[in-house]
Amino acid sequence: MVLVASALLARSAIAGQIDVNTNLDQFNTGPECSLREAISSAQTNIGVGGCSPGAGTDTIVLPTGAYDLTLAGTGDDSNLTGDLDVNGTDALTIRSADGAKVSIDGLGNDRVLQHVGNGPLEIRGITVTGGRITLVNDGGGILNGFNSLTLDRVTLSGNSAGNDGGGLANYAQATLTNTTISGNSGNGQGGGYYGPGGSTATFNNVTIAGNTADKDVDGNGDGGGISAMGSISSYNSIIALNTDDSGLIPAQVNDCVTGPNFFPRHTLIGDFVPAECLIGFDPGTNIVNVNPKLGLLADNGGPLQTRALLVGSPAIDAGGSAAPDQCASTDERGISRPQGSACDVGAFELAPTPPTPVLKVSPKPKIKKTRRGKVAIFKVKVKNTGTAAAAKARVCLKVKSPLRAKGRKCASLGTIAVGKTKTTKLKVKVASGAARKSYKVSFRATANGARAKTAKAKLKVR
């Protein structure tokens, strides 16, 4: 599907900004500006395809869409086929348009993106998925080779590596904020994140959960969440619920394998093994060996999938507030922080559920017997089981011929306080010519701010 309106086919007139206007994966073969062509235009400062030429420091903007990398190929570092190669010297930002839902999918043909250039790269507001690199290769989703990489509001999921770093392999410098790394795998180290010696990384409000190391079960891989022999600082982040598929349990290191330059603060580590996860300095703010109570990767609002904090999670209100532990001002979905007494740990900020009334309607009796031409009386109870008063509550009778309401069809109940019940009576008249059988009778309760609730009864006519 082409995302192009005719007006968008014109090259961008904004210096330093390249507007992608198709989600087709093409290179210099059409009038549109594809993502692959935009990267080459930005890095060479020469227009490729329908893209405007780069102007030094550039920003590539992607409208809503799934950008599938269909130009299959491996081993190409010139950005012609396979993964997207950022290989120039200029700084580059690749971001979604405001509010856009954007994914880049490697389709299992190659990793998704390789940063082999000498300029800094920033990726903002994008899902990176479907990357797959085989043999002894690192970085199934992203490989950062030589310079700085910034991920802000990024979800890495569904990527795999034949060696280390299923989601992200970082050989240089990486800064991750409001980023979720979930559902990635590697046959070696670091199912979610891998950073060898000499690398540096900073995590702030990052969730690394549900990743797998040693996926080929040969015993040569640890750290389902992270494997970081370089320097790594972690603030307000979660590393939990990851797995290491290395055979016997004593050989498994599920969440964290690091060298001595690991400096977590306000970080939740679900399965903490001190001999493997070497904390260089522990300020006493970390939460270890606990169940983080995370939901599955899902659409929890916003353009990116996240892992929600469930009620009772120890990550709630566990974030830092003073330097250097300040949390990000919003979460990955754009929800402002904090929502409680303090910021939540991880990429997801749990917003308190507003008080709401919840109705439960109970007619009695459930089954009533009467004769043709007679009136049946039902006692109807409406209870408020919610957390706010139910104002303007009412309950209404619904029947079909040969039944009809006798007198009022609806009864007003006023306001029902939390935990309280109000009762009323509604009458049903049976026509004299009604068949002798059972009829359905429904009672529907409503109130301001509450979902309508319906209960049914039976009226047996003899």
Side-chain angles (χ1 to χ4, degrees), residues 6-18:
S6 59
L8 291 178
L9 289 174
R11 293 181 175 182
S12 170
I14 302 174
Q17 178 169 313
I18 302 174

Side-chain angles (χ1 to χ4, degrees), residues 194-240:
Y194 173 70
S199 65
T200 63
T202 301
F203 299 160
N204 192 19
N205 286 114
V206 172
T207 297
I208 302 176
N211 305 285
T212 304
D214 200 5
K215 188 68 175 177
D216 59 359
V217 199
D218 66 358
N220 293 317
D222 291 313
I226 69 170
S227 175
M229 295 299 110
S231 174
I232 183 166
S233 298
S234 175
Y235 306 93
N236 308 309
S237 294
I238 295 174
I239 307 169

Side-chain angles (χ1 to χ4, degrees), residues 148-444:
S148 69
L149 171 69
T150 296
L151 302 182
D152 182 15
R153 293 177 299 109
V154 169
T155 292
L156 286 162
S157 67
N159 304 290
S160 65
N163 198 37
D164 303 327
L168 167 63
N170 169 43
Y171 278 78
Q173 176 184 347
T175 301
L176 281 61
T177 305
N178 279 332
T179 289
T180 297
I181 302 177
S182 183
N184 306 283
S185 65
N187 288 339
Q189 308 279 337
Y193 169 87
Y194 173 70
S199 65
T200 63
T202 301
F203 299 160
N204 192 19
N205 286 114
V206 172
T207 297
I208 302 176
N211 305 285
T212 304
D214 200 5
K215 188 68 175 177
D216 59 359
V217 199
D218 66 358
N220 293 317
D222 291 313
I226 69 170
S227 175
M229 295 299 110
S231 174
I232 183 166
S233 298
S234 175
Y235 306 93
N236 308 309
S237 294
I238 295 174
I239 307 169
L241 302 180
N242 302 285
T243 56
D244 168 12
D245 282 352
S246 302
L248 299 176
I249 291 177
Q252 294 176 347
V253 186
N254 292 315
D255 285 330
C256 173
V257 173
T258 71
N261 294 316
F262 177 42
F263 304 102
R265 301 171 67 92
H266 294 278
T267 292
L268 188 156
I269 305 172
D271 183 13
F272 175 63
V273 181
E276 301 287 350
C277 195
L278 305 178
I279 294 180
F281 172 74
D282 188 347
T285 60
N286 298 307
I287 308 166
V288 300
N289 293 324
V290 296
N291 181 351
K293 295 186 179 180
L294 289 177
L296 298 176
L297 189 69
D299 182 354
N300 296 302
L304 299 163
Q305 288 195 323
T306 52
R307 297 198 61 156
L309 299 181
L310 304 180
V311 174
S313 169
I316 297 171
D317 296 344
S321 58
D325 301 323
Q326 295 98 327
C327 57
S329 60
T330 64
D331 77 350
E332 187 173 352
R333 304 163 298 157
I335 301 297
S336 62
R337 298 182 189 268
Q339 288 290 320
S341 60
C343 295
D344 297 341
V345 167
F348 181 95
E349 181 79 7
L350 181 64
T353 302
T356 54
V358 177
L359 302 179
K360 180 181 179 181
V361 54
S362 303
K364 289 187 177 181
K366 285 283 190 179
I367 301 175
K368 189 173 182 66
K369 298 178 181 179
T370 191
R371 295 183 181 278
R372 292 181 292 181
K374 299 297 183 179
V375 174
I377 301 175
F378 288 89
K379 182 186 290 185
V380 186
K381 293 183 177 180
V382 180
K383 184 176 182 178
N384 179 10
T385 62
T387 55
K392 295 186 178 180
R394 66 197 308 238
V395 61
C396 293
L397 170 69
K398 183 178 180 180
V399 291
K400 294 181 178 179
S401 179
L403 309 182
R404 63 179 177 84
K406 174 66 174 177
R408 60 183 181 176
K409 183 178 180 181
C410 297
S412 296
L413 303 174
T415 297
I416 307 176
V418 174
K420 300 299 183 180
T421 301
K422 288 195 174 182
T423 303
T424 189
K425 292 181 180 180
L426 291 172
K427 301 176 182 180
V428 179
K429 172 72 174 181
V430 182
S432 58
R436 291 184 173 93
K437 66 175 188 176
S438 293
Y439 296 91
K440 292 180 181 179
V441 181
S442 296
F443 301 91
R444 186 173 187 266

Side-chain angles (χ1 to χ4, degrees), residues 17 19 59-63 93-98 102 122-126 153:
Q17 178 169 313
D19 295 316
T59 297
I60 295 172
V61 180
L62 301 173
T93 296
I94 304 174
R95 70 170 180 86
S96 60
D98 292 344
V102 173
E122 298 184 8
I123 301 175
R124 301 182 181 275
I126 292 172
R153 293 177 299 109

